[in-house]
Amino acid sequence: MGPAIVTRNELLASLRGRTLEIPDLQALLSHWPQYVHLELDRLRKDVDRKLHELFPEGKRLDKIKAADAGLFAASWWPYAPYEALKIATFLSIWLFVWDDELDSSEFSSLVLDYDRARSFRTETLEYAQRYLITNEHTITTKATTDVIIASFKPVAVAISESCSPAQIKTFMEEMRFFVDMTDVEQQVQMSMKLPSLEEYRQRRMGSSAVRMCLAITEYCFGMEIPRTVIDDDDMRVIWNETNVIISTCVHAKDAFQHSRETYRLTDSLYRMNDLLSVRKEIVGATWKI
C-alpha cells in the first residue's frame, strides 16, 4: 500500500490519466417512484427566459441550460401548482448559479479570494433577511447591485407573501446553514488538505442545499404542517435521511443493518461526489460513467 494521500494536489496527481468507473446509479434507484410535472415544457420556456435575464450568450449560459433546471424541479415537485413550481425552479436556478460564483474558477474570481467571497455571502444573507424576515421588498434604495444575489428576489417575495412566520423562519435558517457550509467548503479547498470522511459529510449536509429545497416544499403544495410535527424528532430524522440520500445519491447504512459492504458503498459515493467536483482540474483524465 502506498503512502496516504493527504492533500488535494496529491489526489489530483494520483487521478491524472486514470479511468474512474462509476456504478449505474439509475439502476440502484430504479425501483423508486418517479413522476415528472405535466407542464415541464412550459416550465422549460420560463427557465430559458430567466436564464437569458441572468447571462449573455456564451459558455456560462450554455452550461446552466444543459443542467436542465426545469426537469430538476419538475421531478422534485411533480404535483405542485404551476406558479409555485416556477418559484421553486427559480430557487433551484439561484442555488446553481450562486454556488458557481464561489466554486467555479471558470466563471468567478471569488474562488481564490476568500475575503471577497465572505462579503458576497454576507451580502446574500442580508438581502434575504431583508426580503424574507422584514418584508422590505417594496424598498428599492437598499437593492443589491449584484445580479446573482438580486435574482433571489422573486423567490423571497413569493415566500414572504405566502408563508407563515414559522415557515419563513425555517427557510431562512436552512439558507443560513447552506451559506455557512459553503464558507467551510471554500476554506477546506483553499487549504488544499483533504477533509476526513466525517468532516466531508458534515459539510456536505449543508453545502448541497437539500434542506433549502425541503424547506420550500410546504409552500409548493400550499400547506402548513403544524410546528409540533415539523419539530418532532421523527420529522427531524426524515429530513436528515432525505438530505443524506440526495446529497450522496444513496444512504443505506441503516436500512441494511450497517453491513460492511454498505459502508463501503456509502463512503465511495461521498468520495465520488468530491472527485467529480474536481473533474475540471484533472487535465487529460479519462472518465467512464
Side-chain angles (χ1 to χ4, degrees):
M1 183 179 296
I5 295 175
V6 295
T7 70
R8 192 177 180 86
N9 284 337
E10 288 174 342
L11 174 62
L12 295 176
S14 73
L15 293 173
R16 285 193 177 92
R18 299 180 64 180
T19 298
L20 175 66
E21 295 191 33
I22 297 175
D24 184 353
L25 300 180
Q26 288 193 342
L28 289 174
L29 306 176
S30 61
H31 62 289
W32 288 18
Q34 299 179 39
Y35 191 71
V36 176
H37 202 285
L38 293 176
E39 296 200 72
L40 174 58
D41 290 341
R42 177 185 174 188
L43 183 63
R44 280 176 165 152
K45 292 177 183 177
D46 281 329
V47 167
D48 190 69
R49 284 190 286 270
K50 183 68 174 178
L51 294 179
H52 278 90
E53 291 175 5
L54 288 171
F55 305 114
E57 295 291 339
K59 192 172 183 179
R60 187 167 190 180
L61 179 62
D62 292 341
K63 178 186 174 183
I64 190 64
K65 279 187 175 183
D68 200 351
L71 178 59
F72 172 86
S75 302
W76 258 80
W77 300 282
Y79 305 108
Y82 185 76
E83 287 305 313
L85 173 65
K86 185 169 71 172
I87 291 298
T89 307
F90 288 174
L91 171 63
S92 304
I93 293 170
W94 183 83
L95 288 169
F96 291 143
V97 299
W98 187 92
D99 192 59
D100 270 351
E101 286 295 293
L102 295 167
D103 70 3
S104 176
S105 57
E106 184 178 13
F107 301 121
S108 174
S109 60
L110 297 180
V111 179
L112 298 177
D113 191 331
Y114 178 73
D115 289 338
R116 286 180 57 226
R118 182 174 55 185
S119 296
F120 178 77
R121 292 186 186 92
T122 299
E123 183 178 358
T124 298
L125 290 175
E126 289 176 348
Y127 184 86
Q129 174 97 6
R130 185 163 65 248
Y131 280 82
L132 286 169
I133 305 300
T134 59
N135 202 26
E136 294 181 14
H137 55 263
T138 59
I139 298 176
T140 59
T141 56
K142 297 181 180 179
T144 179
T145 59
D146 188 284
V147 174
I148 301 300
I149 295 176
S151 66
F152 182 72
K153 182 178 178 179
V155 178
V157 171
I159 292 175
S160 68
E161 292 181 345
S162 302
C163 294
S164 70
Q167 289 173 318
I168 293 171
K169 180 175 180 290
T170 296
F171 183 82
M172 189 69 220
E173 287 173 350
E174 299 303 342
M175 183 176 186
R176 188 176 298 279
F177 180 46
F178 161 65
V179 171
D180 287 348
M181 289 302 100
T182 66
D183 186 284
V184 174
E185 181 177 58
Q186 184 174 17
Q187 291 185 62
V188 170
Q189 291 176 345
M190 293 184 73
S191 74
M192 300 307 289
K193 293 181 180 179
L194 290 180
S196 69
L197 182 59
E198 187 56 34
E199 288 171 338
Y200 175 74
R201 283 173 171 161
Q202 291 176 1
R203 181 251 294 173
R204 179 66 183 162
M205 291 304 96
S207 64
S208 65
V210 170
R211 293 183 66 94
M212 280 189 70
C213 293
L214 296 178
I216 202 177
T217 298
E218 287 179 84
Y219 161 79
C220 288
F221 296 107
M223 65 174 68
E224 182 172 6
I225 300 173
R227 291 300 100 181
T228 53
V229 176
I230 291 293
D231 295 334
D232 186 83
D233 288 343
D234 288 340
M235 181 63 80
R236 294 180 190 275
V237 170
I238 291 172
W239 273 53
N240 183 67
E241 294 303 298
T242 302
N243 191 8
V244 171
I245 290 169
I246 297 170
S247 296
T248 63
C249 300
V250 68
H251 179 57
K253 181 174 66 175
D254 295 320
F256 292 95
Q257 291 82 44
H258 302 276
S259 72
R260 183 177 303 173
E261 291 77 14
T262 298
Y263 272 124
R264 283 203 294 265
L265 175 59
T266 304
D267 291 355
S268 296
L269 287 167
Y270 273 107
R271 301 292 188 188
M272 184 194 308
N273 187 287
D274 231 13
L275 291 175
L276 290 173
S277 74
V278 299
R279 174 179 177 176
K280 56 183 173 292
E281 302 177 40
I282 306 173
V283 180
T286 302
W287 296 74
K288 288 175 64 179
I289 302 178

